[in-house]
């Protein structure tokens, strides 16, 4: 009954922008954080960004200054604004929610950045 649905992925040229969205079908009570992970072909899944209940954020070093995470707590929706995209950002992006200290992920949305 926990469902995370991503949208907004696609193909973009290097230097371009995309905005990802994720809606969570869970109660806001118990959510500690929401965010995004990604996985490139042949590589491990990695943390991209997190936003916590108090509004603080955390980013992978590789995306700092280029990506911005935000959320609408009332809607249980999290966003990722991705600017100045690089080919190295290519991968499947997964929405994440920490709910009662357990992790949940969506099915992912493909982001492809061409050079």
């Amino acid at each position: 009954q926990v469902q995370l649905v991503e949208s907004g992925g696609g193909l973009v040229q290097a230097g371009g922008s995309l905005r990802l969205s994720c809606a969570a079908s869970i109660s806001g009570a118990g959510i500690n954080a929401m965010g995004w992970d990604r996985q490139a072909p042949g590589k491990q899944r990695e943390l991209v960004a997190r936003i916590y209940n108090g509004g603080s954020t955390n980013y992978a070093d590789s995306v700092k200054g280029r990506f911005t995470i935000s959320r609408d707590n009332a809607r249980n929706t999290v966003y990722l604004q991705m600017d100045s995209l690089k080919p190295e950002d290519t991968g499947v992006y997964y929405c994440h929610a920490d709910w009662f200290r357990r992790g949940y992920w969506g099915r992912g949305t493909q982001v492809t950045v061409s050079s």
Side-chain angles (χ1 to χ4, degrees):
Q1 65 188 57
V2 175
Q3 187 173 7
L4 304 172
V5 181
E6 304 96 337
S7 62
L11 174 65
V12 65
Q13 290 185 324
S17 298
L18 287 172
R19 180 177 169 87
L20 306 183
S21 300
C22 171
S25 64
I26 56 177
S27 172
I31 293 180
N32 304 119
M34 296 189 72
W36 297 89
D37 299 341
R38 69 185 180 188
Q39 187 168 26
K43 300 184 68 175
Q44 293 183 351
R45 190 175 299 190
E46 64 175 339
L47 182 152
V48 175
R50 293 285 185 272
I51 185 164
Y52 303 92
N53 288 347
S56 62
T57 58
N58 186 45
Y59 297 92
D61 288 342
S62 60
V63 307
K64 287 181 179 177
R66 300 188 296 118
F67 291 10
T68 304
I69 189 170
S70 61
R71 69 178 179 183
D72 181 342
N73 290 340
R75 301 270 78 192
N76 286 340
T77 302
V78 64
Y79 306 92
L80 186 68
Q81 178 67 41
M82 305 186 294
D83 298 320
S84 301
L85 283 161
K86 304 175 181 179
E88 306 92 270
D89 296 317
T90 293
V92 179
Y93 283 68
Y94 298 90
C95 180
H96 170 265
D98 186 288
W99 189 62
F100 290 101
R101 306 193 72 174
R102 296 185 182 275
Y104 298 86
W105 288 266
R107 298 183 70 179
T109 185
Q110 178 70 42
V111 172
T112 302
V113 184
S114 62
S115 60

